[in-house]
């Protein structure tokens, strides 16, 4: 039966069962319990109200998973997680206006791994706050050491929902800003649109506290979530990023054109800058520029790259522009 709290709220109770059968002669008391736990994990993965009985082949799967988890924890402490940077171009002028930091795992044997190899595991392990904090620290460090980066209008860092809800986020950001003497307004945090649709006081307060530090916010993957548009007006948001899925079909797909131009119109109306993500062709860039989209990001200009290469990229593009002007 549901539990009834004093506030009147009902809490539904559910259960999953994991079991293991062992021969009566089995002497080791730990193993059967461990096996039942592994079965319980399987049962939970199938949803509430399920049960599972241990099968032998799950043991090696379990051990492999534990070793991948340990490897990721080691990577966090060995600083194998590093930021790559992708430039963001001002549509009107072609200059490098900003860049986005994207996590990479510099794996000792497998080479440089993209986030889809490790973020799902990090999320499952609930270590996204640590991973995001490490990235924020590394990016701040990079900015502090390379004055060229300060010539950009902004540097974006991705923030997971777990990190956004962390109590220590604002104080960590405040002390890092002071420690690295980073100009106000240079740093921008990207949060996914889905997050702001949670109409909770905590999200609003946290976003406003971040805004009060001078840090800007942008809404990532815009168009894929269910944000109540009226909420945007009340949040310190300076950019929307049109999701790549709407950019892909430009300029031939009528519905993508319609969605992209409505997002442009809305952003203009609200006085919010717009970045289009995943721009891969000249035709997409031209169409977006004609629609007055402010910034473009995508493989057409550059893929994410390590720090030394992005510094070169910024220097070269600034030089080219000085020559032109
Ligand atoms: P995102 O924030 O939407 O980042 C954009 C992704 O699109 C990046 O993938 C980027 O490399 C890729 N991309 C950019 N331009 C193009 C293009 O023209 N074509 C194609 N096909 N792809 C393009 P990446 O680096 O693999 O990152 C994937 C996702 O992982 C990111 O999506 C973000 O959600 C997450 N992520 C990456 N780094 C971090 C991090 O430090 N913290 C958190 N919380 N999430 C991160
Ligand atoms: Ca992003
Ligand atoms: Ca995105």
């Amino acid at each position: 039966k549901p539990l009834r709290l004093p506030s009147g709220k009902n809490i539904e109770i559910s259960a999953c069962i994991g079991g293991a059968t062992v021969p009566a002669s089995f002497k080791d008391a730990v193993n059967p319990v461990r096996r039942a736990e592994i079965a319980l994990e399987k049962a939970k993965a199938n949803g509430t109200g399920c049960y599972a009985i241990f099968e032998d082949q799950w043991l090696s799967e379990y051990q492999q998973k534990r070793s991948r988890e340990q490897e990721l924890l080691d990577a966090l402490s060995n600083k194998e997680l590093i930021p790559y940077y992708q430039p963001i171009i001002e549509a009107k002028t072609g200059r490098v206006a900003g860049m986005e930091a994207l996590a990479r795992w510099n794996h000792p044997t497998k080479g440089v791994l993209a986030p889809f190899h490790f973020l799902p595991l990090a999320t499952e392990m609930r270590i996204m706050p640590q991973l995001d904090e490490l990235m924020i620290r590394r990016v701040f460090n990079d900015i502090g050491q390379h004055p060229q980066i300060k010539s950009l209008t902004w540097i974006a860092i991705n923030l997971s929902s777990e990190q956004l809800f962390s109590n220590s986020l604002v104080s960590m950001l405040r002390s890092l800003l002071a420690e690295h003497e980073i100009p106000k307004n240079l740093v921008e945090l990207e949060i996914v649109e889905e997050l702001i649709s949670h109409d909770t006081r905590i999200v609003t307060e946290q976003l406003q506290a971040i805004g009060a530090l001078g840090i800007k916010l942008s809404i990532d993957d815009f168009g894929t979530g269910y944000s109540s548009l009226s909420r945007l007006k009340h949040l310190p948001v300076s950019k929307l990023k049109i999701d790549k899925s709407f950019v892909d079909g430009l300029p031939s797909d009528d519905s993508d054109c319609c969605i992209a131009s409505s997002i442009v119109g809305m952003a203009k109306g609200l006085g919010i800058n717009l970045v289009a993500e995943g721009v891969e062709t000249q035709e997409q860039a031209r169409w977006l520029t004609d629609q007055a989209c402010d910034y473009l990001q995508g493989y057409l200009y550059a893929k994410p790259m390590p720090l030394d290469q992005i510094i070169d990229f910024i220097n070269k593009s600034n030089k080219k522009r000085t020559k032109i002007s």
Side-chain angles (χ1 to χ4, degrees):
K1 284 185 189 165
L3 269 183
R4 199 172 172 79
L5 295 182
S7 63
K9 202 176 166 195
N10 279 338
I11 296 191
E12 296 286 337
I13 311 286
S14 66
C16 286
I17 300 175
T21 55
V22 289
S25 58
F26 210 81
K27 290 277 181 313
D28 180 352
V30 177
N31 256 328
V33 176
R34 169 79 38 84
R35 285 164 188 227
E37 278 172 358
I38 295 171
L40 180 60
E41 269 187 34
K42 284 274 179 192
K44 282 183 184 167
N46 290 336
T48 51
C50 292
Y51 76 93
I53 305 295
F54 181 80
E55 291 174 23
D56 277 341
Q57 75 266 22
W58 293 349
L59 196 59
S60 67
E61 271 176 38
Y62 173 82
Q63 282 160 344
Q64 276 171 15
K65 191 159 171 236
R66 286 290 165 276
S67 91
R68 284 202 297 132
E69 288 176 358
Q70 191 53 51
E71 206 185 12
L72 185 53
L73 289 175
D74 292 345
L76 273 180
S77 47
N78 296 342
K79 307 214 165 61
E80 286 166 17
L81 291 174
I82 52 166
Y84 264 37
Y85 295 96
Q86 187 177 31
I88 302 174
I89 309 297
E90 187 174 47
K92 260 194 301 206
T93 61
R95 80 177 173 107
V96 183
M99 62 185 191
E100 177 177 3
L102 293 153
R104 294 291 180 270
W105 181 354
N106 197 1
H107 193 282
T109 55
K110 295 181 189 153
V112 177
L113 302 178
F116 76 91
H117 288 287
F118 57 92
L119 286 193
L121 184 61
T123 307
E124 208 186 307
M125 291 167 69
R126 299 174 193 269
I127 55 166
M128 280 310 289
Q130 289 95 307
L131 189 144
D132 280 345
E133 178 170 343
L134 181 79
M135 281 289 289
I136 293 172
R137 287 182 182 278
R138 300 211 64 159
V139 173
F140 276 47
N141 203 31
D142 288 350
I143 303 173
Q145 290 187 352
H146 295 273
Q148 294 94 325
I149 300 184
K150 291 186 189 158
S151 68
L152 298 178
T153 313
W154 83 98
I155 291 116
I157 308 173
N158 292 282
L159 203 63
S160 63
S161 43
E162 296 88 335
Q163 178 66 314
L164 182 67
F165 288 109
S166 140
N167 288 335
S168 55
L169 175 67
V170 173
S171 57
M172 189 239 319
L173 290 168
R174 187 182 298 114
S175 64
L176 283 178
L177 282 173
E179 189 185 320
H180 294 283
E181 294 178 4
I182 293 182
K184 261 188 176 270
N185 296 330
L186 185 61
V187 177
E188 190 160 301
L189 295 177
E190 295 192 358
I191 56 169
V192 286
E193 185 193 4
E194 197 204 328
L195 253 181
I196 61 161
S197 57
H198 296 282
D199 190 14
T200 60
R201 196 175 39 85
I202 304 171
V203 174
T204 311
E205 278 177 9
Q206 188 83 323
L207 294 182
Q208 278 164 350
I210 294 170
L213 294 176
I215 290 181
K216 295 181 282 185
L217 289 163
S218 68
I219 309 296
D220 209 351
D221 304 344
F222 192 79
T224 60
Y226 306 93
S227 64
S228 146
L229 296 179
S230 63
R231 289 206 72 211
L232 281 177
K233 215 169 53 167
H234 303 294
L235 294 171
V237 168
S238 76
K239 285 188 194 68
L240 299 182
K241 299 188 79 173
I242 309 181
D243 191 64
K244 178 177 181 301
S245 58
F246 305 116
V247 174
D248 283 344
L250 300 177
S252 54
D253 184 298
D254 288 345
S255 48
D256 280 352
C257 291
C258 173
I259 293 168
S261 54
S262 350
I263 297 178
V264 175
M266 191 196 66
K268 295 285 151 202
L270 290 171
I272 297 175
N273 281 322
L274 206 64
V275 182
E277 292 190 302
V279 179
E280 294 183 346
T281 68
Q282 290 289 0
E283 290 72 30
Q284 290 167 342
R286 209 167 301 126
W287 190 90
L288 287 157
T289 310
D290 288 347
Q291 294 285 315
C293 174
D294 307 288
Y295 301 103
L296 308 170
Q297 175 181 6
Y299 292 177
L300 175 64
Y301 305 100
K303 288 191 171 176
M305 56 186 106
L307 177 70
D308 53 337
Q309 289 180 26
I310 193 81
I311 300 283
D312 252 21
F313 190 93
I314 297 170
N315 285 343
K316 278 189 192 136
S317 107
N318 285 350
K319 242 185 243 152
K320 224 190 285 166
R321 292 186 36 75
T322 320
K323 266 190 207 149
I324 297 168
S325 53

